[in-house]
Amino acid sequence: MQTRSNLSPWWQQPLNDTLNSLGVGTYGLNGEQVTSKLKQFGKNVFLDRKTKPIWQKLLVRFRNPLILLLLFASAVSAFMGEFSNFIIITVLVFISIILDFIQEHKAGKAAESLRHSVSVHATVVREGIATNIPVSQIVPGDLVLLSAGDLVPADGRVLEAKDFFVKQALLTGETYPVEKHSGELGSVSNDITDASNAVFMGTSVISGSAKVLIVNTGLDTAMGAIAENLTVSPPPNSSELGTEKFGILIMRMTILLVLFVLLVNAILHKPWLDSFLFAVALAVGLTPELLPMVTSITLSRGAIMMAKKKVIVKQLSSIQNLGSMDTLCTDKTGTLTESKIKLEKHVNINGESDTRVLELAYLNSYFETGLKSPLDEAILEHREIQTERWTKIDEVPFDFERRRVSVLLDPKDQKNRMLVVKGAPEEIIQLCTHYETEKETIEPINSIVLEKIRSVYSSLEKEGFRVLGIAWREETKEHIHAVVSDETELTLSGFAAFLDPPKASAKIALSELNEIGVSVKVITGDSELVTLHVCSELKMQVQGILTGKELDQMDDSALKYHIETTNLFCRMNPSQKNRIILALKEKGHVVGYLGDGVNDAPSLHSADVGLSVDSAVDVAKEAADMILLDHDLHVLYEGVMEGRRTFGNIMKYIMMGTSSNFGNMFSMAGAALFLPFLPMLPTQILLNNLLYDISEIPIPLDEVDKEELKLPRIMDIGFIRNFMLTIGPISSAFDFLTFYVMLTLLQTNETLFQTGWFVESLCTQVLVIFIIRTRGNPIKSRPNRILAIVSFSIAAIGALLPFTAIGSYFGLVPPPMEFYAILASMVVIYLIVVESVKRMFYHFQYRK
């Protein structure tokens, strides 16, 4: 199309040419055009999660190095004439892969469904009707309506604009919002910073409204062109760090064990093919290959459970982080307070009620086109103020650096225009050189008056009021554009005081979070006096207070020192909030951040788990990992508990798999030292491993002990390693006891020995789940019924398999009956010993 092929950028092309090339009219596109353009340009996304067909997703499973090694080993077997080995290994590998794929595919579909329920939408005019659609469905030629708080869904030309300001720091690095307008630019710089008639995907609307013609979508946008380098990646979160360390631990153990077995078998001159297959099977047995599947099932089930508790999960991995969260950072308004703000007072500098202050505040909020805050809505409840004689000329929108908004108004019955400014009281006072008396006279501000002014708004804040300063200055009729530099030499009219009562539920929720080991830190733009009052009402203990100005004077090391003893951060702007989040993470905390505004997006992105609400602006919802359907800390408390249940079940698999697998594989490696034959055939190891894996599939359904939910936990690799090295040798000891029974008491041959150990190994590692799944008494902590049925069934199958044709195909033979009597006794003793050692292990860990 023309707008893409010309040398000059599309925003410099004549608008009529662009409209014609896109085939769009005044009423927008019709259904047939939309369908055609979706086929031509694709969805408005960088990466379509559904582009890969199922066969490709299945094929990805074969990238696993151990799977490839097994298939190579089976091919070698076929080449050497061992066709039975080839068939068995291949079938077992494919069963494992398909089982893993089916479960992860189901989990992925559930997660995708939840993701769609909170996807970002945009308002599009099609066939003359404004419709709300997912941004992925937007195509070139669409007419999109934008207003304050929206994310710009794609690149486009501005057709209509009213005080339309956009923050595009993501692409250009510009700190302040940029005003956009319609019209032709002609021949100017090709830099997007000069594209004042265009908007770009991913930028956010700060104020005003506009109608935009979409020109480019998806990878054709400016953001798509630099998608890989768009943002600085946040530091790895707790879940990612834990998974990485766990993978390294398993890899090291596997390599050492396999090399040891190969070396021993080579020294003893055992058949190299059998030795190689045995070593590969050992590697598979030691690796918890079902971890991705168990994790996916557990997380998807957790996401569904959390959705029932009004928490929508966008990123499955964030569930683990929520369960591990030990620090929650949150704003005050709407979380600790009702967010039902009411304008209680409008006073002059003497603290007396003054309608002049109310009138100026109302005019500012009424004509402001930016995102209306709850304070604006409270002011606009006073509909008795007349606006007919006022005409808006221009405005300087609110931003979080200036913390104020100005509107330039033209009164019909006065010779001069008026710039009305509203904002944070300390900021407004600094800009004022005069004040307005109750007699509507103007007097200069001196040191005595300044002290009086500060005492008035400080007293209001101590009473729990949120305060805005109201000021103004006259401008001539020739003054047609308002700019930041106009906000000087103002006349202070007075203060508007708002009351937002604390939430009754917040007091209980704060207590609940404290009891489960989650410390709450309040990060707010409000003053410390207002925040202290709210905390006092909620009985929240204040450990320390830090203001934005104090934070700016600290380097990172000083901030890390103070951050542990501070739980109120006041008068904070977005960049300061983000510094706090990053400092907490560097101190080793797992940090959650709850925010719903444009200014919260950086912190939501940096936190281990970003939390927003369904009423939040698009920018915040897009940056968040989870969406709360109810802006209530108790809902978050329920989410934390579900996250801990999810994490607890993942840890059960890891701890059981690593300790049991390590013990059995260590036994196999040790047996290779003194046995003249392989202690178990490679195919028997794989079958044993497959049956064991099946027994663990129901783990995500299991209950988690209440004691496990009391405190946040992270994936502590040291703890996992110590548990593995403590419990694993017990399994090995009973394996060697089995060796003694088989070789000395029963005097078995090679085949019977391998069968006996196959049965004993499977029974012990399957049934030990009932001991390891709880830190407490396994009799009192009841497992999930399905887990119990599957585990006992697999143990029974393992015991009966030698009597079947399938068993004989795998080289198993029926053991004598006395073996089963001995086996039953050994299993009971084994479980008792593991339980005793487990209790001592946890006792020692708790003492440390």
Side-chain angles (χ1 to χ4, degrees):
M1 55 188 283
Q2 181 180 355
T3 53
R4 300 185 188 204
S5 59
N6 285 347
L7 294 176
S8 56
W10 50 266
W11 58 83
Q12 291 182 14
Q13 304 299 316
L15 180 59
N16 286 335
D17 290 352
T18 304
L19 288 167
N20 291 334
S21 65
L22 292 170
V24 61
T26 334
Y27 296 100
L29 301 174
N30 57 40
E32 187 178 338
Q33 288 175 307
V34 171
T35 303
S36 174
K37 287 178 181 290
L38 273 173
K39 288 181 180 179
Q40 181 181 358
F41 300 110
K43 290 185 178 181
N44 182 33
V45 292
F46 295 151
L47 177 65
D48 191 346
R49 289 186 175 92
K50 295 186 178 180
T51 52
K52 286 186 179 180
I54 287 180
W55 66 268
Q56 283 188 9
K57 294 180 181 178
L58 185 60
L59 202 60
V60 169
R61 296 295 187 283
F62 289 90
R63 291 181 180 176
N64 187 315
L66 289 176
I67 294 296
L68 293 175
L69 195 58
L70 277 172
L71 293 176
F72 172 74
S74 69
V76 172
S77 295
F79 180 76
M80 299 293 292
E82 299 283 343
F83 291 104
S84 59
N85 274 356
F86 165 74
I87 294 171
I88 292 171
I89 293 173
T90 304
V91 169
L92 290 176
V93 166
F94 273 87
I95 289 175
S96 178
I97 286 175
I98 291 171
L99 188 65
D100 182 21
F101 169 75
I102 290 173
Q103 295 299 336
E104 281 204 48
H105 183 66
K106 287 181 180 179
K109 287 181 69 176
E112 191 68 27
S113 174
L114 290 170
R115 243 193 315 267
H116 284 319
S117 68
V118 290
S119 61
V120 176
H121 286 60
T123 303
V124 177
V125 178
R126 289 178 177 172
E127 299 183 273
I129 301 173
T131 310
N132 198 256
I133 65 169
V135 296
S136 61
Q137 300 299 311
I138 289 174
V139 296
D142 265 327
L143 302 179
V144 175
L145 303 180
L146 297 174
S147 58
D150 289 342
L151 274 176
V152 177
D155 292 1
R157 283 282 298 267
V158 178
L159 301 180
E160 301 172 11
K162 182 181 179 182
D163 295 315
F164 187 55
F165 284 80
V166 175
K167 188 168 186 178
Q168 52 187 33
L170 189 65
L171 288 175
T172 65
E174 296 166 291
T175 305
Y176 293 105
V178 178
E179 186 171 13
K180 302 286 185 175
H181 52 73
S182 60
E184 307 288 355
L185 291 184
S187 180
V188 294
S189 167
N190 291 349
D191 197 320
I192 63 174
T193 56
D194 297 319
S196 58
N197 65 344
V199 290
F200 301 93
M201 184 188 215
T203 58
S204 53
V205 182
I206 300 300
S207 66
S209 58
K211 179 190 282 188
V212 172
L213 168 68
I214 299 302
V215 177
N216 290 328
T217 59
L219 289 172
D220 291 324
T221 61
M223 181 181 281
I226 54 171
E228 293 182 354
N229 302 310
L230 243 184
T231 56
V232 177
S233 297
N237 59 44
S238 174
S239 172
E240 293 167 342
L241 288 172
T243 303
E244 180 183 348
K245 291 177 181 177
F246 178 70
I248 292 172
L249 172 66
I250 293 299
M251 183 180 68
R252 287 174 177 171
M253 297 294 299
T254 302
I255 291 174
L256 287 174
L257 210 55
V258 168
L259 291 177
F260 173 77
V261 169
L262 287 174
L263 178 63
V264 169
N265 285 340
I267 293 173
L268 298 177
H269 302 291
K270 294 181 180 179
W272 72 269
L273 178 60
D274 287 345
S275 299
F276 174 72
L277 292 174
F278 181 71
V280 172
L282 269 182
V284 174
L286 184 60
T287 304
E289 68 274 15
L290 279 194
L291 180 58
M293 186 188 75
V294 169
T295 301
S296 296
I297 298 172
T298 308
L299 292 177
S300 61
R301 181 175 182 269
I304 294 169
M305 296 299 293
M306 290 174 77
K308 293 178 181 178
K309 296 178 179 179
K310 297 185 178 181
V311 180
I312 302 298
V313 179
K314 290 175 60 185
Q315 299 292 334
L316 282 180
S317 61
S318 63
I319 298 177
Q320 278 182 265
N321 294 325
L322 186 63
S324 301
M325 180 180 71
D326 62 9
T327 305
L328 171 66
C329 297
T330 177
D331 193 6
K332 175 178 62 66
T333 304
T335 304
L336 303 182
T337 62
E338 293 286 357
S339 195
K340 296 177 181 177
I341 297 175
K342 184 178 180 182
L343 177 59
E344 293 284 351
K345 295 182 179 183
H346 37 87
V347 300
N348 56 31
I349 69 160
N350 295 316
E352 300 166 344
S353 182
D354 195 327
T355 55
R356 167 71 169 171
V357 176
L358 175 60
E359 179 187 29
L360 293 176
Y362 189 92
L363 291 172
N364 181 285
S365 295
Y366 182 83
F367 287 107
E368 176 194 355
T369 58
L371 190 64
K372 300 293 185 187
S373 72
L375 302 182
D376 289 307
E377 293 170 2
I379 292 171
L380 295 175
E381 289 292 323
H382 291 265
R383 296 184 177 86
E384 68 272 17
I385 303 299
Q386 301 299 312
T387 60
E388 290 78 8
R389 72 185 186 94
W390 299 90
T391 303
K392 180 182 172 182
I393 305 300
D394 199 12
E395 77 173 284
V396 184
F398 178 86
D399 68 64
F400 296 97
E401 298 296 327
R402 290 165 42 252
R403 301 173 65 201
R404 57 186 179 271
V405 59
S406 301
V407 292
L408 180 62
L409 304 176
D410 188 3
K412 294 178 181 177
D413 54 355
Q414 294 180 20
K415 63 179 182 179
N416 288 326
R417 290 175 175 171
M418 178 180 286
L419 183 75
V420 182
V421 187
K422 175 186 81 218
E426 63 274 15
E427 302 289 341
I428 297 296
I429 291 172
Q430 290 178 6
L431 300 171
C432 291
T433 56
H434 294 76
Y435 70 96
E436 189 174 8
T437 70
E438 61 273 15
K439 297 179 181 179
E440 296 188 6
T441 60
I442 309 300
E443 300 291 342
I445 295 177
N446 55 37
S447 58
I448 298 174
V449 173
L450 183 60
E451 187 64 31
K452 181 180 180 180
I453 290 170
R454 286 177 173 161
S455 68
V456 168
Y457 91 79
S458 294
S459 63
L460 289 170
E461 289 182 337
K462 287 177 181 177
E463 294 177 47
F465 289 105
R466 186 170 179 180
V467 182
L468 288 179
I470 311 297
W472 58 275
R473 66 175 281 176
E474 284 190 341
E475 300 286 0
T476 63
K477 291 285 187 179
E478 290 73 29
H479 199 79
I480 58 173
H481 289 299
V483 293
V484 174
S485 58
D486 291 337
E487 298 170 338
T488 56
E489 299 183 358
L490 302 178
T491 298
L492 181 65
S493 181
F495 303 101
F498 306 82
L499 196 60
D500 185 12
K503 275 186 179 178
S505 62
K507 183 177 179 181
I508 300 172
L510 285 172
S511 176
E512 289 175 333
L513 289 170
N514 184 61
E515 287 177 2
I516 61 172
V518 178
S519 64
V520 178
K521 295 184 184 290
V522 180
I523 307 179
T524 178
D526 274 0
S527 77
E528 56 273 28
L529 296 176
V530 176
T531 309
L532 275 169
H533 179 83
V534 172
C535 292
S536 174
E537 292 287 310
L538 294 172
K539 306 298 183 187
M540 177 180 172
Q541 186 176 359
V542 177
Q543 298 172 332
I545 304 173
L546 195 65
T547 65
K549 289 182 179 178
E550 292 170 338
L551 186 143
D552 280 340
Q553 295 171 0
M554 295 180 180
D555 59 17
D556 288 342
S557 59
L559 177 58
K560 289 176 193 175
Y561 174 79
H562 285 88
I563 210 162
E564 298 285 6
T565 56
T566 304
N567 62 344
L568 293 191
F569 299 86
C570 306
R571 305 179 193 269
M572 295 289 164
N573 62 36
S575 61
Q576 291 168 335
K577 290 182 179 182
N578 199 41
R579 271 192 73 192
I580 293 167
I581 301 300
L582 294 175
L584 284 166
K585 289 181 69 171
E586 288 179 17
K587 288 287 287 184
H589 293 283
V590 181
V591 185
Y593 183 82
L594 177 58
D596 60 359
V598 176
N599 60 318
D600 293 311
S603 298
L604 288 167
H605 180 66
S606 296
D608 288 293
V609 52
L611 303 151
S612 193
V613 292
D614 62 343
S615 59
V617 299
D618 285 348
V619 186
K621 287 196 288 187
E622 183 68 16
D625 301 307
M626 295 184 181
I627 306 293
L628 308 186
L629 300 182
D630 194 351
H631 204 160
D632 191 330
L633 282 180
H634 184 73
V635 173
L636 184 56
Y637 167 80
E638 291 291 338
V640 170
M641 297 305 285
E642 191 58 48
R644 291 187 183 178
R645 291 186 190 97
T646 301
F647 181 76
N649 280 332
I650 292 173
M651 287 299 295
K652 284 179 189 177
Y653 173 81
I654 289 174
M655 293 173 67
M656 188 181 92
T658 51
S659 59
S660 182
N661 286 3
F662 173 74
N664 281 323
M665 297 311 109
F666 184 77
S667 300
M668 290 187 190
L673 288 172
F674 64 86
L675 288 178
F677 52 84
L678 293 177
M680 200 183 295
L681 296 177
T683 51
Q684 292 170 350
I685 295 175
L686 294 174
L687 177 62
N688 184 295
N689 197 49
L690 176 64
L691 292 172
Y692 169 63
D693 285 343
I694 291 173
S695 74
E696 294 185 282
I697 290 176
I699 284 180
L701 305 176
D702 198 22
E703 294 297 322
V704 178
D705 294 344
K706 291 181 179 179
E707 291 76 15
E708 293 287 305
L709 306 177
K710 285 183 178 179
L711 294 171
R713 297 170 60 202
I714 61 173
M715 191 178 288
D716 186 343
I717 301 304
F719 178 86
I720 295 172
R721 182 192 63 242
N722 293 341
F723 189 86
M724 178 179 71
L725 296 177
T726 301
I727 303 298
I730 300 174
S731 175
S732 292
F734 276 83
D735 286 337
F736 286 114
L737 181 60
T738 303
F739 297 166
Y740 175 79
V741 170
M742 301 297 294
L743 294 173
T744 305
L745 298 182
L746 300 180
Q747 297 184 346
T748 60
N749 57 23
E750 175 181 338
T751 307
L752 190 55
F753 179 94
Q754 292 167 342
T755 301
W757 192 25
F758 175 90
V759 175
E760 183 269 342
S761 170
L762 184 62
C763 288
T764 53
Q765 67 179 334
V766 167
L767 296 179
V768 80
I769 180 60
F770 300 109
I771 305 298
I772 294 178
R773 61 171 292 276
T774 175
R775 293 192 183 193
N777 189 329
I779 298 175
K780 294 181 180 179
S781 176
R782 292 188 177 183
N784 179 273
R785 183 178 298 178
I786 297 176
L787 176 63
I789 292 172
V790 172
S791 297
F792 282 114
S793 298
I794 293 296
I797 289 171
L800 297 174
L801 200 60
F803 299 92
T804 66
I806 296 176
S808 62
Y809 186 77
F810 279 88
L812 303 175
V813 295
M817 288 299 104
E818 55 265 33
F819 166 75
Y820 286 102
I822 295 171
L823 174 65
S825 302
M826 286 176 58
V827 169
V828 172
I829 296 171
Y830 169 68
L831 296 179
I832 292 173
V833 172
V834 171
E835 171 63 18
S836 302
V837 174
K838 180 198 75 176
R839 291 191 180 191
M840 289 189 289
F841 174 82
Y842 282 122
H843 177 73
F844 178 73
Q845 288 292 321
Y846 285 136
R847 284 186 62 184
K848 289 202 299 182

